[in-house]
């Protein structure tokens, strides 16, 4: 990836080239990078873990050409959609790793509702639902997918095993991929 294709941001969101409002609102200790295009934000996040990044670290991309879903299914991120992965390396209990997709789904559901005006939040909350284990549906059409993956990492304190947990989010904001077995979402939430 060439330098213009990648923007790194520190906890304040003030990267060398970044003026993106969404990255500027990061909490202290959280880092993020913006890629114009990538094969997979999850693969990028695991590569960052292999290079010593412990997170929390977000990898966001305008386009994702070969993202993955459950069972190795391909997930393409079309222009205008949201593709991002969150990396956290920590001493995570293995039983908690299996809960990551559900917890991320609840968080994504709440985040989608939170960006709506108060008048439409309840209406949207009723139209959105989680389909176990990793889909967010809007009016029964898939509008988002979540892929949680983990791998062993060097122990943080040398005693307990650590894991690199990567949670990938693909949200159809502008368009849904062709060939979905379900009815396509409109791409727009109520105003």
């Amino acid at each position: 990836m060439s330098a213009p294709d990648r923007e790194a941001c520190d906890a304040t969101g003030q990267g060398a080239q970044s003026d993106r409002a969404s990255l500027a609102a990061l909490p202290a200790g959280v880092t993020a990078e913006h890629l114009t295009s990538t094969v997979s934000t999850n693969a990028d996040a695991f590569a960052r873990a292999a290079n010593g990044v412990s997170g929390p670290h977000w990898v966001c991309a305008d386009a994702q050409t070969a993202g993955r879903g459950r069972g190795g299914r391909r997930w393409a991120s079309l222009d205008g959609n949201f593709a991002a992965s969150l990396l956290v390396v920590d001493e995570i209990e293995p039983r908690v790793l299996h809960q990551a997709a559900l917890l991320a789904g609840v968080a994504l559901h709440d985040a989608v509702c939170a960006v709506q005006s108060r008048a439409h939040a309840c209406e949207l909350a009723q139209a959105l639902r989680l389909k176990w284990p990793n889909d967010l549906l809007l009016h029964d059409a898939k509008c988002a997918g979540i892929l949680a993956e983990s791998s062993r990492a060097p122990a943080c304190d040398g005693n307990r095993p650590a894991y690199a947990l990567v949670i990938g989010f693909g949200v159809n904001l502008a368009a849904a991929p062709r060939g979905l077995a379900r009815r396509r979402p409109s791409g727009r939430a109520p105003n």
Side-chain angles (χ1 to χ4, degrees):
M1 145 183 32
S2 64
D5 293 335
R6 180 175 171 193
E7 298 175 16
C9 297
D10 60 17
T12 65
Q14 301 304 309
Q17 301 173 358
S18 179
D19 62 350
R20 294 178 175 276
S22 60
L23 295 179
L26 293 173
V30 177
T31 59
E33 64 185 283
H34 170 255
L35 309 172
T36 46
S37 182
T38 188
V39 172
S40 164
T41 57
N42 271 26
D44 291 332
F46 277 117
R48 303 307 179 264
N51 287 326
V53 175
S54 61
H57 181 74
W58 284 94
V59 178
C60 307
D62 293 338
Q64 180 174 250
T65 58
R68 297 179 318 280
R70 276 190 59 229
R73 292 183 186 96
R74 187 171 182 266
W75 180 269
S77 178
L78 304 175
D79 189 39
N81 289 343
F82 178 78
S85 295
L86 174 64
L87 165 67
V88 177
V89 178
D90 206 344
E91 295 170 343
I92 303 166
E93 294 289 328
R95 63 184 165 82
V96 174
L97 292 171
H98 300 292
Q99 300 170 6
L102 178 60
L103 295 172
V106 171
L108 180 61
H109 176 280
D110 291 352
V112 169
C113 290
V115 299
Q116 291 300 300
S117 67
R118 186 173 292 214
H120 294 289
C122 290
E123 178 185 337
L124 182 61
Q126 292 173 358
L128 282 174
R129 71 179 179 90
L130 287 174
K131 179 181 172 224
W132 179 256
N134 67 331
D135 292 341
L136 184 63
L137 306 180
L138 176 61
H139 300 292
D140 295 323
K142 182 174 180 173
C143 66
I146 299 163
L147 180 62
E149 302 178 291
S150 63
S151 67
R152 290 291 294 260
C156 294
D157 67 6
N159 296 324
R160 297 184 353 206
Y163 291 87
L165 172 63
V166 174
I167 304 171
F169 299 87
V171 183
N172 298 334
L173 297 174
R178 293 179 189 212
L180 283 180
R182 298 178 192 93
R183 183 173 53 90
R184 289 174 50 152
S186 69
R188 295 188 321 190
N191 293 336

